[in-house]
Amino acid sequence: MSDAPLGRLRERLGEIADLRAAADLLHWDQEVNMPPKAAAGRGRQLATVAALAHRMFTDAEMGEFLKELQDGAHALAPDDAALVNVTAYDYVRATKLPETFVHTFAEETSKAYEAWVKAREISSFPAFQPHLETLLELLKKKADLLGYEGSPYNALLDEYERGMRIEQLEAIFAELAPKQAALVERLVNATHPPDTTWTRRDWPESRQWDLTVRILSDMGYDFEAGRQDKSVHPFTTSFGLHDVRVTTRFDAKDPFSAVSSSMHEGGHALYDQGFQEQDARTPLAEGASVGIHESQSRMWENMIGRSLPFWKHYRPLLNEFFPDVPPHVSAEDVYRTVNCVKPSLIRVEADECTYNLHVIMRFEIELALIEERMVVAEIPEVWSAKMKEYLGIAVPNDAQGCLQDIHWSLGSMGYFPSYALGNLYAAQIFERILEDIPDLWGRIESGRFYPLLHWLREHVHRHGRRKLATEMIRDITGAEPMCAPYLRYLETKYGELYGV
Ligand code: ZN
């Protein structure tokens, strides 16, 4: 037989990719352009398109194509075998959940999301608690339906970080958390915190916009195959290799907030613009895992965008955009300003020294919930205790505490670890990059980002989903995922900055 089933599989996957792109475009419009009264209608449109895509993907015929391709009768080229492999994995996961379960889950999450929005407004966890209890039961059911070895959390983790196991994760975080907390304590007690008084001036939004566009272009983001817009919560979305869009946000008192938002999303977007043309409209044109995707955004945002060579390049340019920045402000001053360490209540505003601690405490809580070692009612109390232990600060209310993140209200547990893994993967990959491009910092200082982008394209981007995150890390570094490189990075950078 010819490659007919492969052709049919590709055709079907292409149609599903088109539907998903349409849904993503509806979602992008919702966040960027949509008038407020359109919300309910848009919700229905999104649900319809998503259901259609899901139905097409879980169709019995899809199972037959895959079975035929996997039975060994067809000699598949490596790229085709990878496609069949990845698709079969998604197919098995998607078909393990009965339609009634998917429907109930969608209904309960939409109620929970509404309840969470209100509960956060009045800062009352009890108003959200019954919904989270329902979702937790559904999540445990989901883990049972999907199947797992060891902890049921493994089944949920697989959705975001396929191949990562809870035992490995716990071992990494057990080493990372106390060391990072100790570093934060040393920095907080340091006698030379950065002086940021020079930033107290007006930073016109239109100039901030121009600066972010300039930086994105310099990074290699292709504005002919994407665009930047403004949204409350910055995000990246892709409708295909040639349409990858980012959003950013502005703070009138702080231009560096927009710079880091744009660079973060730009890192995600460069990944999505770097998949191979031949993988377009297939599941291979996706990131290896959420953690690997996050490694790309965090590397550009923090390791590059908060480095001294980067600001040596952009310091003179700052005056092009903001003529009244005083000449005595040096690149070093900017570098110190963008690297202030201050334990704070809100994860998304956290600096790179404290960020992982926010993530690890959420992971510990959701793991204990899934493994039935604690109940939902205990969350506020446990949250406060962990904030005290890891960051040394008191939580004044639920809104700034356990109600701040959207994830649980969307029925998402197992996602948080990917944020911390992203930082760790970035540091591991970056050590290798510095070996391969010894003069990297010299190039960054002269504004040449291409060697870095070229390296990432070669070793990370072009593989799409051909490798699992752990395989990719192993291939690049020869080691397992670990925290030592990230700790080395933080200790060196902040030890020097803060003189501790
Ligand atoms: Zn991100």
Side-chain angles (χ1 to χ4, degrees):
M1 214 175 129
S2 69
D3 63 352
L6 187 65
R8 296 208 303 277
L9 177 76
R10 282 188 177 275
E11 195 184 320
R12 182 66 59 86
L13 288 173
E15 289 165 358
I16 294 166
D18 292 343
L19 278 177
R20 288 183 179 152
D24 288 341
L25 180 57
L26 286 171
H27 179 256
W28 173 84
D29 176 74
Q30 181 176 36
E31 302 287 320
V32 173
N33 289 319
M34 193 183 77
K37 286 183 180 170
R42 181 54 49 87
R44 280 192 302 274
Q45 293 153 2
L46 274 165
T48 302
V49 181
L52 207 55
H54 181 75
R55 209 172 302 153
M56 278 177 76
F57 185 67
T58 53
D59 190 84
E61 213 184 357
M62 177 69 86
E64 282 157 28
F65 296 156
L66 289 167
K67 198 160 163 254
E68 204 175 327
L69 289 162
Q70 284 185 305
D71 71 3
H74 301 268
L76 295 173
D79 282 339
D80 296 330
L83 176 64
V84 170
N85 224 322
V86 164
T87 309
Y89 173 81
D90 291 348
Y91 180 78
V92 169
R93 263 184 88 88
T95 50
K96 274 183 177 169
L97 305 176
E99 221 170 300
T100 48
F101 178 83
V102 175
H103 189 77
T104 310
F105 197 85
E107 254 179 16
E108 292 302 334
T109 49
S110 92
K111 282 186 220 161
Y113 172 73
E114 267 180 57
W116 168 73
V117 171
K118 286 188 191 122
R120 197 167 73 148
E121 264 166 34
I122 57 169
S123 191
S124 162
F125 182 74
F128 178 52
Q129 187 184 320
H131 293 276
L132 189 53
E133 281 164 351
T134 306
L135 288 186
L136 181 61
E137 287 315 305
L138 286 171
L139 281 164
K140 287 190 273 186
K141 177 95 187 291
K142 186 177 172 181
D144 287 339
L145 288 165
L146 292 170
Y148 55 84
E149 279 172 43
S151 170
Y153 193 86
N154 277 327
L156 305 176
L157 185 62
D158 244 22
E159 191 166 337
Y160 312 103
E161 213 57 39
R162 185 182 163 196
M164 177 55 72
R165 304 273 306 181
I166 188 71
E167 297 77 14
Q168 196 175 3
L169 205 51
E170 280 188 299
I172 294 171
F173 289 171
E175 185 186 345
L176 179 63
K179 289 184 178 164
Q180 214 172 321
L183 173 66
V184 170
E185 204 183 327
R186 264 164 48 216
L187 299 179
V188 169
N189 295 324
T191 43
H192 301 293
D195 174 12
T196 60
T197 46
W198 69 276
T199 62
R200 286 183 204 144
R201 65 190 62 251
D202 274 344
W203 301 91
E205 188 177 308
S206 66
R207 301 290 170 77
Q208 290 193 42
W209 175 268
D210 294 344
L211 176 63
T212 59
V213 168
R214 168 70 183 262
I215 292 173
L216 279 170
S217 303
D218 291 348
M219 284 165 64
Y221 174 75
D222 182 0
F223 273 95
E224 298 281 302
R227 49 181 287 135
Q228 177 173 256
D229 291 272
K230 215 173 118 171
S231 73
V232 181
H233 304 286
F235 67 103
T236 301
T237 191
S238 164
F239 319 128
L241 303 187
H242 304 294
D243 194 352
V244 181
R245 304 183 187 188
V246 296
T247 70
T248 194
R249 64 172 156 210
F250 299 96
D251 178 342
K253 294 195 179 73
D254 173 17
F256 305 111
S257 158
V259 168
S260 52
S261 279
S262 288
M263 290 189 76
H264 181 98
E265 301 310 330
H268 282 305
L270 288 174
Y271 195 175
D272 288 351
Q273 286 182 338
F275 299 133
Q276 298 177 56
E277 197 73 51
Q278 66 178 68
D279 293 340
R281 296 170 81 231
T282 80
L284 286 180
E286 288 169 27
S289 76
V290 174
I292 294 289
H293 228 299
E294 202 59 18
S295 77
Q296 300 304 289
S297 55
R298 303 287 287 181
M299 187 185 293
W300 284 99
E301 176 194 359
N302 292 325
M303 304 183 114
I304 303 299
R306 294 180 206 275
S307 71
L308 183 56
F310 180 88
W311 285 107
K312 280 191 173 160
H313 176 65
Y314 283 102
R315 169 62 194 95
L317 287 165
L318 262 189
N319 277 95
E320 257 180 48
F321 298 97
F322 310 101
D324 61 341
V325 171
H328 69 79
V329 174
S330 64
E332 283 76 7
D333 292 330
V334 182
Y335 173 57
R336 289 168 68 80
T337 299
V338 298
N339 287 298
C340 270
V341 176
K342 192 164 188 267
S344 64
L345 291 162
I346 308 295
R347 175 183 61 87
V348 297
E349 292 164 9
D351 57 77
E352 57 179 338
C353 281
T354 55
Y355 188 84
N356 284 345
L357 298 167
H358 288 271
V359 172
I360 291 170
M361 59 173 271
R362 285 156 178 75
F363 159 71
E364 288 172 346
I365 291 172
E366 57 181 30
L367 179 64
L369 290 169
I370 294 288
E371 291 185 343
E372 300 181 341
R373 286 183 279 108
M374 73 179 263
V375 294
V376 170
E378 292 172 295
I379 292 177
E381 193 193 323
V382 175
W383 191 282
S384 294
K386 287 190 184 289
M387 282 299 282
K388 193 101 214 139
E389 181 193 344
Y390 287 150
L391 291 159
I393 50 180
V395 180
N397 54 52
D398 292 343
Q400 289 173 289
C402 60
L403 286 176
Q404 65 182 268
D405 295 301
I406 194 173
H407 305 63
W408 292 340
S409 79
L410 299 177
S412 178
M413 288 194 183
Y415 193 110
F416 281 120
S418 296
Y419 290 126
L421 285 172
N423 287 323
L424 306 187
Y425 293 158
Q428 281 187 272
I429 295 171
F430 204 69
E431 284 195 346
R432 180 57 205 263
I433 294 175
L434 287 172
E435 280 171 30
D436 287 355
I437 314 174
D439 186 33
L440 180 78
W441 288 124
R443 295 174 195 219
I444 299 286
E445 194 174 325
S446 56
R448 283 182 294 145
F449 299 104
Y450 182 72
L452 173 61
L453 179 58
H454 180 72
W455 192 100
L456 293 171
R457 289 264 191 263
E458 186 62 24
H459 296 268
V460 181
H461 303 174
R462 73 182 177 90
H463 297 291
R465 269 179 83 190
R466 282 176 181 75
K467 297 178 185 186
L468 299 182
T470 39
E471 286 170 336
M472 186 174 275
I473 294 300
R474 227 177 280 140
D475 286 353
I476 292 173
T477 68
E480 293 296 315
M482 59 166 83
C483 61
Y486 190 64
L487 287 166
R488 269 199 290 278
Y489 160 73
L490 289 182
E491 297 269 352
T492 311
K493 176 174 172 179
Y494 290 91
E496 218 171 280
L497 263 166
Y498 279 72
V500 294

